[in-house]
Amino acid sequence: MNFSQVSYFILSAYIDIGLFRYLVFVFLMCFYVFIIGCNVVLIVVICVNRSLHEPMYLFLCSLFVNELYGSTGLFPFLLIQILSDVHTVPAPLCFLQIFCLYMFGNVEFYNLAVMSYDRYIAICYPLQYHSLMSFTTVVRLIVISWFLPFVNIVVMISLNISSQLCGNVIDRLYCTNHNIVNLACGSTTASNVYGLVYTFTMIFSLVVMIFYTYIRILKVCFSGSKQTRQKAISTCTPHLASLLNFSFGCFFEVMQSRFDMSQVPNILRIILSIYFVTCQPLLAPVLYGLQLKKLRITCRTLFFGQT
């Protein structure tokens, strides 16, 4: 069948697990509530405490907002689908979900890149840090971290939303842009070229910047004093762990989108497909909340009255 628009898409990756779906529903609901709680608490703590109105914590606040945004783009949808007998999604909602999840992924990467640059300035140029990282500069970097991904996703969806499709079955738990492109009957050259250009300009540039900043940070750590090394380790460890976790999650997602994964067990495919948007929103606040001493002490003082 050939049609330029479809009213709904069918998600074929869901399997019938009988009454166990209620157990999965409760588990995911608790997981989602915990993610909301962790991120909201840290956002509130950073906002209400003037001592935390520093560049690093403002970037963290932006990161935690994005974790809430990304998890909200997936979890309510998953919870509804788990309890449904028919796994369909209206076409407008499908494209909205694509916008939310791809926006989350892009903003996350931009935020992590900006935070790498912030740590590089703080450790390699500590005397010039406050002049280089003024409040105006911080606001501009945060705005750029959200605006550029927004423009990218709008262009990406605009290239695909009017495509003529030859089917409406998506072999995933949620809607993805690559699966929509695979359903297109006509040429997808424009979409593919745009994706490649964006990847090898913006994304590749961010990767190079992150590698460069951490090479310089490591150089300072090995050549500096013990106090410098301890400061670098305490502030960079959670960021590096968060960056590696998100990178692995994105790698799994790209592998599943671009290559035939039919030989991989279905359960493993399902776990890998939602890894980057389920584990990252929980891991980031837990890592930073536990590792950053100033943030940890402020949280403890706020909730338990201890210093």
Side-chain angles (χ1 to χ4, degrees), residues 6-27:
V6 295
S7 59
Y8 64 91
F9 291 96
I10 300 172
L11 304 173
S12 63
Y14 287 89
I15 57 177
D16 184 12
I17 56 176
L19 295 178
F20 281 106
R21 63 181 177 175
Y22 297 105
L23 180 62
V24 175
F25 176 87
V26 172
F27 172 77

Side-chain angles (χ1 to χ4, degrees), residues 20-307:
F20 281 106
R21 63 181 177 175
Y22 297 105
L23 180 62
V24 175
F25 176 87
V26 172
F27 172 77
L28 288 178
M29 174 64 79
C30 294
F31 196 79
Y32 179 45
V33 170
F34 192 62
I35 287 174
I36 293 176
C38 290
N39 285 282
V40 168
V41 165
L42 292 180
I43 291 171
V44 171
V45 166
I46 292 173
C47 290
V48 301
N49 287 273
R50 296 187 62 86
S51 63
L52 295 179
H53 292 180
E54 301 174 4
M56 180 175 68
Y57 297 104
L58 295 178
F59 291 136
L60 278 176
C61 193
S62 174
L63 186 73
F64 297 149
V65 169
N66 190 50
E67 309 299 2
L68 284 176
Y69 169 77
S71 58
T72 302
L74 177 68
F75 275 96
F77 178 84
L78 277 182
L79 293 171
I80 293 173
Q81 290 294 327
I82 286 171
L83 295 182
S84 300
D85 294 321
V86 180
H87 305 292
T88 61
V89 53
L93 182 58
C94 189
F95 284 105
L96 176 62
Q97 186 177 55
I98 289 173
F99 175 85
C100 291
L101 295 183
Y102 280 67
M103 181 78 174
F104 159 74
N106 277 257
V107 172
E108 189 81 1
F109 195 61
Y110 274 81
N111 270 324
L112 292 172
V114 167
M115 291 169 67
S116 297
Y117 174 71
D118 172 69
R119 291 301 84 204
Y120 161 69
I121 297 297
I123 294 171
C124 298
Y125 301 98
L127 299 180
Q128 294 85 20
Y129 178 72
H130 291 290
S131 60
L132 293 174
M133 275 294 173
S134 64
F135 181 76
T136 302
T137 302
V138 171
V139 171
R140 287 176 180 172
L141 289 173
I142 292 175
V143 170
I144 290 173
S145 298
W146 285 83
F147 179 72
L148 289 183
F150 175 81
V151 173
N152 167 51
I153 304 306
V154 168
V155 173
M156 180 190 73
I157 293 179
S158 299
L159 291 173
N160 298 326
I161 200 167
S162 59
S163 299
Q164 187 178 27
L165 304 179
C166 292
N168 66 338
V169 179
I170 299 176
D171 186 26
R172 298 297 293 274
L173 295 178
Y174 54 89
C175 297
T176 66
N177 181 70
H178 186 71
N179 288 95
I180 299 295
V181 171
N182 287 340
L183 294 175
C185 300
S187 173
T188 59
T189 302
S191 178
N192 291 331
V193 169
Y194 175 77
L196 289 173
V197 170
Y198 179 78
T199 300
F200 285 101
T201 53
M202 298 304 298
I203 302 299
F204 182 74
S205 298
L206 293 176
V207 171
V208 170
M209 186 189 78
I210 291 172
F211 271 108
Y212 174 77
T213 56
Y214 271 99
I215 288 174
R216 292 294 304 273
I217 289 172
L218 288 174
K219 184 178 179 181
V220 170
C221 289
F222 285 117
S223 61
S225 63
K226 181 179 180 180
Q227 183 179 2
T228 301
R229 287 196 296 271
Q230 289 177 342
K231 179 183 176 182
I233 291 173
S234 64
T235 60
C236 291
T237 298
H239 177 264
L240 190 57
S242 182
L243 179 63
L244 290 174
N245 178 71
F246 183 68
S247 299
F248 280 122
C250 290
F251 174 76
F252 294 144
E253 174 64 16
V254 171
M255 288 289 291
Q256 183 154 283
S257 297
R258 300 290 177 175
F259 299 98
D260 182 17
M261 304 287 285
S262 58
Q263 303 300 320
V264 178
N266 198 38
I267 296 297
L268 182 59
R269 288 173 55 195
I270 290 174
I271 293 174
L272 294 180
S273 68
I274 61 175
Y275 179 86
F276 85 104
V277 77
T278 54
C279 291
Q280 183 67 12
L282 178 61
L283 182 66
V286 170
L287 277 174
Y288 288 106
L290 293 177
Q291 187 67 28
L292 296 181
K293 183 179 179 180
K294 192 172 182 179
L295 188 57
R296 185 175 68 249
I297 292 175
T298 305
C299 290
R300 186 187 304 164
T301 303
L302 180 66
F303 290 103
F304 304 105
Q306 301 174 358
T307 58

